[in-house]
Amino acid sequence: MKMSSRRRRCKRQLIKFTQHITRFITGTLSSDNEDEEQESMTERYHPENLEQLQSQTHFSRQELQLLFRGFKNDCPSGVVNEDTFKNIYALFFPLGDSSKYAQFLFNAFDKDKNGSLSFEELVCDLSVLLRGSTEEKLNWAFNLYDINSDGQITKEEMLDILKSIYDLMGKSVHPRLKEEAVRQHVRMFFQKMDINQDGVVTIEEFMDCCQKDEDIMQSLKIFDNAV
Amino acid sequence: MAAGVAAWLPFARAAAIGWMPVANLPMPVAPSNKNKHQDELIILNVSGRRFQTWRNTLDRYPDTLLGSSEKEFFFNEETREYFFDRDPDVFRSILNFYRTGKLHYPRYECISAYDEELAFFGIIPEIISDCCYEEYKDRKRENVERLMDDLEDNKDSKLPNMTFRETMWRAFENPHTSTMALVFYYVTGFFIAISVITNVVETVPCGYMPNQRDIPCGERYTEAFFCMDTACVMIFTVEYLMRLFAAPSRYRFMRSVMSIIDVVAILPYYIGLVMTNNEDVSGAFVTLRVFRVFRIFKFSRHSQGLRILGYTLKSCASELGFLLFSLTMAIIIFATVMFYAEKGSSSSKFTSIPASFWYTIVTMTTLGYGDMVPKTIAGKIFGSICSLSGVLVIALPVPVIVSNFSRIYHQNQRADKRRAQKVQKARLSRMRITKSGSSSAFPHSKRNGLNQSLELTGSLEEDQQLKKTTSLLESQHHHLLHCLEKTTNHEFVDERLYEQGYLQTALQNFPSQSPSLSSEEGITGTCCSQRTKKSMQPLSATHTHSHTHNLQELSALHIQCGEQQPLNTSRSSLNLMSDESGSLNCKSSGLVTTAIISIPTPPSNNYRASPDAPTPPNPDAPPLPNPGTDVVKISAL
């Protein structure tokens, strides 16, 4: 396989070279006809229509219009890829490094794992997060923490998540950030959530613990009017 | 924050739900969305052209005019739109900034107009996007340079108190400033020419000596040439020393190119004086004479074209370096090739590679002396390639140098035109005429008694009369000025008469703000001295601090007015016909129009006395507690 591709490349380069020589000798003015080979593939994606989105989410028509207009302004092609998402998220956290957390978010939003977020995916998740029930929200959070989507949160996954969240803050924090603090946080989380102490947190354990915790329940509701 | 960030904020906040389960502390309360209105279209009417956009689009940049509540000041209730009396074309780019997040600079737009619009709408120019930023910066730089040129010209025109040294330096730098400078300029120019011609003629063979050998004129008429040389060198030395004395920064002057040329031009003479006796060194002395030719560079002070050429070469240094480098490379290559090609042929002149350098240079520059020619076929082929490539290599950097020269030359042309004083003076005087025309309307109307009718209850006919002679705008303006007069208890003075009076009263120093003022009879003999006294008493009674504050305020007014060209200020000049206005303006009694004039050096207030009243000159008042009063001229609006 590799040999043939190499051979193909050699042949292509040879052809290009002879083309150059003939053009040089005959004195034809150069034109960029080499660029005709490459065509830029721009994705162009149409979202579903407004009524369908309205039925799928808890947003009103105006809210959907507002969201889409903002979305389309920044992503004219209709989809967000990971880099754009990271850049946008970095604008909100200029002091820290938001790339890792943005990556986790992206993976959490991207349900069909095709590397780009469409407007529907975003809006559906948004409706869950802002207008959904607490179970849905907790479900979403669990999916965020569960990086490899195996139904369990391991200590390493939690460590990664927490590290990325701490990274959002940046270097200039008080008190000074230490590696140990993150591990301590992980330990506390597992102490709280891991009921059967098997080293992993499953979805049921997670839901149970969170629903018993008043603080968490309260804090899940604070963004309900954000749109 | 950049564009679209506001649109993504709900997403970011929603994503924060992900932090909740891992957080150990309760979250703070979210800010309530008080004025949560649905997104609406707002209409921006800019000088008649209507732009429409979503409110959210404008809210993206809350620190600009359109994004903040500042735009509410422009809201027109009747038409329910925001009206801006600005340029609609520039507004297009500004609104596009809100829409796309990128600010573009349109090329056809004037740079200062664009800057003003940006400043008005609260957008900093640094966010112009990369595609247009270079262009913007270039134009801005040109503009700034032009302004600086203008500023320099204006600075030159009038500077009252310069020391002798400064005057001398200015005379040296700009020969047009005074006649002496011009004379000096031409004299030095003449002597430079004489010196150069002398150097040239010195070597011309003239006449035969008895031993049938041509000798140059220099050896025949030694004394004459020596006298000439001495005279020139003395003039140059004196000139150099004078320049050195007058230079504001001697160190910098000594490092400048022109001064180095001066020194190099006169040094050989002095060295020759010192070393005439020693025979061995006289050989070196002869070569030193070569440096006398540098005197011709002294002409660059006299010729602007020469300066431009020098400046061009300096600014194209990199292109020249490139030219030199590529030529050197080509020379070495071709010399090597020619040497090896011609090695075979007998009696070839190409004895070594350095010897072939001469052939290559002569061929590449298309000189072709013909003292060295290739004989073999290979040599001839390579020789022809050499001459062809020579033409190309030399032709490449030349357009760059030429365009640089042309740009600098045109800049200088423009600067010269502006510097031509006649043009400037005519322009300024034209502007002054138009300004004074409009500004003298107030005193004219005062003189015609119209303002008096304003003060009195305006009967209908007087109103009509008013409207006939002055437009509504004018009358409102006059009314405003009148109110100002009433407020400050002072009146406007005519410009011309004020300046005359200034010279008069410059010698008279009246004490200010001392209680003795009220007893000062000499201010005005008329009854309105009462009025002035009244106006002065509160002043003297006030704290000295606030008085200086008042004065300083007024002085600030003056300084603002005074620093700029008269074309920028329009002084409301009142015709001070004391008798006439005396009859007009004083309701209580005939008041002589007065103006507060305080003169910078003696810290006192002068009152311009009426010609009738006796004004005994008083000695300098005892020093005021606040000697820091500045010039105050009531030259309002």
Side-chain angles (χ1 to χ4, degrees), chain B residues 60 95 255 279 361 394 403 470 597:
Chain B
R60 283 196 195 141
L95 197 54
R255 278 191 322 182
E279 275 300 322
I361 292 175
I394 292 181
S403 75
T470 61
I597 306 166

Side-chain angles (χ1 to χ4, degrees), chain A residues 192-208:
Chain A
K192 201 163 43 154
M193 302 281 171
D194 195 5
I195 301 174
N196 57 2
Q197 297 292 325
D198 56 354
V200 291
V201 177
T202 62
I203 179 91
E204 295 85 11
E205 290 174 334
F206 185 72
M207 290 288 213
D208 270 340

Side-chain angles (χ1 to χ4, degrees), chain B residues 441-452 455 482 485 491-492 574 581 584-585 593:
Chain B
F442 186 36
H444 280 303
S445 65
K446 276 187 94 154
R447 199 152 36 127
N448 301 341
L450 290 173
N451 269 3
Q452 195 177 21
E455 290 178 44
H482 202 71
E485 286 184 329
E491 309 224 354
F492 294 111
L574 299 190
S581 43
L584 281 183
N585 295 327
T593 58

